[in-house]
Each structure stands twice: as C-alpha cells, then as structure tokens.
C-alpha cells in the first residue's frame, strides 16, 4: 500500500453566542484544518491539526505532504521521524508539529481501516470501552452576569448527567474568581468533580494565592495557572498547592514534555493529540509521564476527527495508577456549540449521562459525511 494523495480541508462555522476566556479574545468562529490521506488501495484516512487553519494548510501542503506521497502508511513511525527531521531546523514546536500530528492521525486511521480494527486495538488494546467525560465550559459571555451564567451552565451539565465539570477562571480579580468557583461548587454539590482552567493568565504569586483560596472547594485540578514558558514557576505552584496542577496543551513532542515530567513541574500533563505529534508521539509522552508518576489527561478541542482520535487514544491508556478501583483518565468534552464536532460524522461521538462509548469501527471509529464537509469547507 502506498500513499497517493495528501489533501487539506479548511472547515469553519460561526459561533452563535461568542465567548471568551482569560486569554481575552472573542471566539466568533470555529475553524479547523483537516488532513485526508488517500492510498492506492482506495483506503482513506482522516486527521486534524490544532491551531490556525489557514497557516496549517500551508504547512502541510508545502512542507510535509510531498514527503509522504509514495510512502507506505504502515511505516507511520518512520514517516513521523522523517517529517520531524525535515522541519527540525526551524519547527521544533508549533505549526510544524501540529501539521505532522494531522498526518500521523490520518496514517493511523488508514492502518486501522486497512486492518479492520479500531486504532486503540493497534496501540495497546482496550483498557476500557467507555470513558468518563468532563464538560469543559463556563466561559465568559456576559460580563455583567459572570456568576449567574456560570451557575446556570453548571446546573445544566449536572442535569445532563456529567459527573465532572471544568470551568474557566481569570476574570481579573482573585476574589471574584474565588466567589464564582464557590457559587458553582455550591450549585453542583460535593459529588461532581470540579476543575478550573486559567488559560495561563496568572503570575506565580497570584496563582498560589488563588489556589489556596480554592482548595476548600475540593478542586480536581488547577489547569494552566501560569504561562507555559515558565517551567520553574510551575514547579513553585505545584509544590505550594494541595491540589493537582495541570498543563501542557501548549507543549509539543516528547522533548517538550521531558523536563516537565522529570521535574514534576505538573501533576497532570495534557498533550493535545492534534498538536503534540499525533498518536505516534503522544504514546511516547504518555509513557514518559507514567515512568515519572505523572498523570496524562489529553487536551481536546476541534472537530469530530480530533475528538474521535482522542477517544481512541484514551481507550488504550492504562489506569493512573493501576489499582483495585483505579481512576481512569477522563475525556475532555468541550461544550460550546460546535457543528464541526457534532455534524461532520454520520455517527458523531456523543455523551450520555457523562459517559462516552468507545467506537469499535475501524480506524478513528467514525465515518465522515462528505456532504457536510463540503458545506463547511472554505478552502
């Protein structure tokens, strides 16, 4: 089997209710760069790249795709190393690796479809057939109702059966953040897991100060409290707080995570399959984390393809740590309206009562509706 074509598709849709996080920019559209790999035996695989879609399309089309044409998709690891070494002089992180991620996911999809097996069966087997999903939401929409809208949204997730919620923080006032978290915790009660995500908006002292204010609310983890470049700062925050500190959605490859896990700068690492290197590299990152006693709970954002790939990856991750009643890694299920996630596949990944079933169809486990793809396609 040989790769005969690598195509990129930019898909986008409008956001009906624009929202923001501590980063400050307003989300008015959702967009993604999808990668389609075709072979001479008619098997087609799909992948997704995390980041600015138009820029990623240029990276894949001009730098990466020509080196994949003619390769055997079953040589997926060799292809990964070739692409990474091709961009090493100028692309150790960022768009270059995100582009490689999309290709790697698509090649694994080809392999699974060719063998008639879901990817999780090919990368270690099914540790679980169902995933506990946590609802990511509680962004900032109405600045005059930050507490009220958070309480209303959290109540809705609890009513849907979610057993875990991750809320955004970073409103510009530590006491206001603490009050907002307290209101959500009071609303959902003590039995629903609650994590907070600051999108790296705090300094080290303020992250520690706020973290101590939040500890009484039984927070599952404090995500991205400070800037991702400040690894030593992460060590300070992690050591200072009696709650787990998480991060890593902005890191790339095993080398980006190496010192983080070796120094235990975070309790939980969150590589994004569509950014950090695809299946081939995220398996290495997860193994590296496990060897240092650090949990791996992947970040997920994007279309149906990225979500499906993350589900396959999580199905094959061991429990963390293994025990009689272990704590399995959870699936991030972002809850802002996203037609690219909900409509792109004939049978999309869905949650029911906070549980997502792992598909047993070949490859990433979903089939793309090309009519819907065309309706969202902008390039």
């Amino acid at each position: 089997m040989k790769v005969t074509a690598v195509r990129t598709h930019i898909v986008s849709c409008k956001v009906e209710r624009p929202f923001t996080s501590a980063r400050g920019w307003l989300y008015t559209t959702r967009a993604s760069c999808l990668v389609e790999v075709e072979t001479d035996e008619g098997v087609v695989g799909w992948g997704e790249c995390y980041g600015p879609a138009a820029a990623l399309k240029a990276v894949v089309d001009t730098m990466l795709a020509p080196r994949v044409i003619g390769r055997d998709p079953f040589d997926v690891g060799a292809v990964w190393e070739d692409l990474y070494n091709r961009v090493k002089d100028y692309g150790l992180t960022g768009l270059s690796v995100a582009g490689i991620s999309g290709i790697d996911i698509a090649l694994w999809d080809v392999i699974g479809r060719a063998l008639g097996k879901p990817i999780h069966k090919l990368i270690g087997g099914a540790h679980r057939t169902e995933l506990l999903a946590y609802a990511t939401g509680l962004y900032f929409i109405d600045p005059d109702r930050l507490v009220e809208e958070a309480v209303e949204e959290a109540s809705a997730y609890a009513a849907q059966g979610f057993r875990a919620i991750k809320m955004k923080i970073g409103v510009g006032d530590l006491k206001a953040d603490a009050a907002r978290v307290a209101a959500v915790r009071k609303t959902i009660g003590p039995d629903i897991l609650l994590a907070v995500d600051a999108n790296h908006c705090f300094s080290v002292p303020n992250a520690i100060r706020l973290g101590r204010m939040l500890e009484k609310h039984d927070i599952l983890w404090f995500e991205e409290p400070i800037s991702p470049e400040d690894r030593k700062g992460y060590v300070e925050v992690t050591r200072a707080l009696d709650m787990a500190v998480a991060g890593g959605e902005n890191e790339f490859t095993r080398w980006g995570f190496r010192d983080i896990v070796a120094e235990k700068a975070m309790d939980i690492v969150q590589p994004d399959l569509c950014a950090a290197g695809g299946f081939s590299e995220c398996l290495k990152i997860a193994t590296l984390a496990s060897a240092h006693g650090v949990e791996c709970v992947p970040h997920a954002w994007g279309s149906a393809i990225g979500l499906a790939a993350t589900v396959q990856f999580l199905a094959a991750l061991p429990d963390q740590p293994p025990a009689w009643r272990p704590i399995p890694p959870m699936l991030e299920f972002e809850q802002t309206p996203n037609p690219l996630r909900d409509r792109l596949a004939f049978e999309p990944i869905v949650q029911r009562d906070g549980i997502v079933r792992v598909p047993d169809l070949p490859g990433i486990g979903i089939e793309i509706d090309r009519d819907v793809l065309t309706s969202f396609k902008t390039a």
Side-chain angles (χ1 to χ4, degrees):
M1 182 184 289
K2 302 295 182 185
V3 174
T4 55
V6 177
R7 303 185 185 92
T8 52
H9 307 273
I10 296 179
V11 291
S12 65
C13 62
K14 291 288 186 182
V15 172
E16 293 182 4
R17 292 189 70 200
F19 58 92
T20 189
S21 68
R23 290 189 178 119
W25 63 69
L26 196 65
Y27 289 89
T28 58
T29 61
R30 300 291 294 253
S32 189
C33 177
L34 309 181
V35 178
E36 178 186 9
V37 170
E38 186 176 331
T39 69
D40 59 356
E41 296 186 16
V43 181
V44 174
W46 293 91
E48 181 171 357
C49 310
Y50 175 69
L56 283 162
K57 177 177 173 60
V59 167
V60 175
D61 288 349
T62 64
M63 287 202 316
L64 305 176
R67 300 188 69 86
V68 183
I69 304 299
R71 299 295 298 267
D72 183 341
F74 281 80
D75 290 333
V76 59
V79 171
W80 196 99
E81 294 292 337
D82 177 70
L83 294 178
Y84 183 73
N85 283 298
R86 169 67 178 82
V87 304
K88 184 177 285 187
D89 286 348
Y90 46 79
L92 293 173
T93 63
L95 299 182
S96 298
V97 178
I100 294 172
S101 302
I103 290 174
D104 183 83
I105 293 168
L107 291 176
W108 276 103
D109 193 27
V110 166
I111 294 169
R113 292 175 190 273
L115 297 176
K117 296 289 186 181
I119 292 172
H120 69 263
K121 292 292 188 183
L122 308 177
I123 60 174
H127 285 270
R128 57 196 64 84
T129 58
E130 293 182 339
L131 302 174
L132 179 63
Y134 69 89
T136 291
L138 284 69
Y139 288 81
F140 314 136
I141 299 174
D142 184 347
D144 296 323
R145 300 187 70 250
L146 291 176
V147 174
E148 294 85 353
E149 67 187 11
V151 165
E152 292 163 4
E153 190 174 342
S155 297
Y157 296 150
Q160 292 176 41
F162 278 105
R163 306 173 205 175
I165 296 170
K166 184 173 76 179
M167 65 180 291
K168 297 296 181 176
I169 60 174
V171 300
D173 181 290
L174 299 186
K175 291 182 179 179
D177 269 320
R180 191 165 175 268
V181 173
V184 169
R185 171 53 81 195
K186 181 179 180 181
T187 297
I188 63 176
D191 296 329
I192 294 178
L193 302 174
L194 179 62
V196 298
D197 183 0
N199 292 110
H200 50 75
C201 76
F202 296 119
S203 64
V204 169
N206 280 338
I208 293 172
R209 182 183 175 197
L210 178 59
R212 288 173 175 162
M213 294 166 70
L214 299 182
E215 284 175 343
K216 63 184 177 183
H217 301 303
D218 190 21
I219 300 302
L220 181 63
W221 70 66
F222 189 171
E223 184 169 328
E224 287 201 305
I226 63 173
S227 180
E229 301 94 340
D230 188 3
R231 192 179 70 249
K232 290 185 177 179
Y234 265 98
V235 172
E236 289 187 52
V237 176
T238 299
R239 299 292 183 272
L241 297 180
D242 291 330
M243 68 171 73
V245 172
E249 69 183 70
N250 300 305
E251 278 297 345
F252 304 86
T253 74
R254 76 201 87 155
W255 296 283
F257 283 89
R258 178 185 56 196
D259 293 339
I260 290 174
V261 299
E263 298 177 18
K264 292 198 173 182
M266 302 168 187
D267 302 291
I268 301 168
V269 291
Q270 300 171 304
D272 190 302
L273 206 69
C274 300
F279 286 103
S280 296
E281 194 67 2
C282 285
L283 286 167
K284 296 179 175 70
I285 293 167
T287 300
L288 183 66
S290 176
H292 289 82
V294 174
E295 292 184 49
C296 181
V297 182
H299 174 261
W301 168 280
S303 80
I305 293 171
L307 179 61
T310 304
V311 167
Q312 294 292 325
F313 180 67
L314 276 166
L317 278 189
D319 292 322
Q320 305 173 41
W324 174 55
R325 299 186 68 180
I327 302 174
M330 293 191 297
L331 170 69
E332 179 167 23
F333 208 115
E334 207 265 337
Q335 288 296 294
T336 55
N338 184 0
L340 302 180
R341 177 194 61 221
D342 300 334
R343 294 179 52 200
L344 199 57
F346 284 107
E347 294 185 20
I349 302 293
V350 296
Q351 69 82 24
R352 291 184 175 87
D353 294 324
I355 299 294
V356 169
R357 183 185 67 82
V358 178
D360 55 10
L361 295 174
I364 60 173
I366 58 172
E367 294 292 341
I368 300 303
D369 186 331
R370 287 189 179 271
D371 290 337
V372 174
L373 175 71
T374 300
S375 71
F376 287 130
K377 190 172 176 179
T378 58

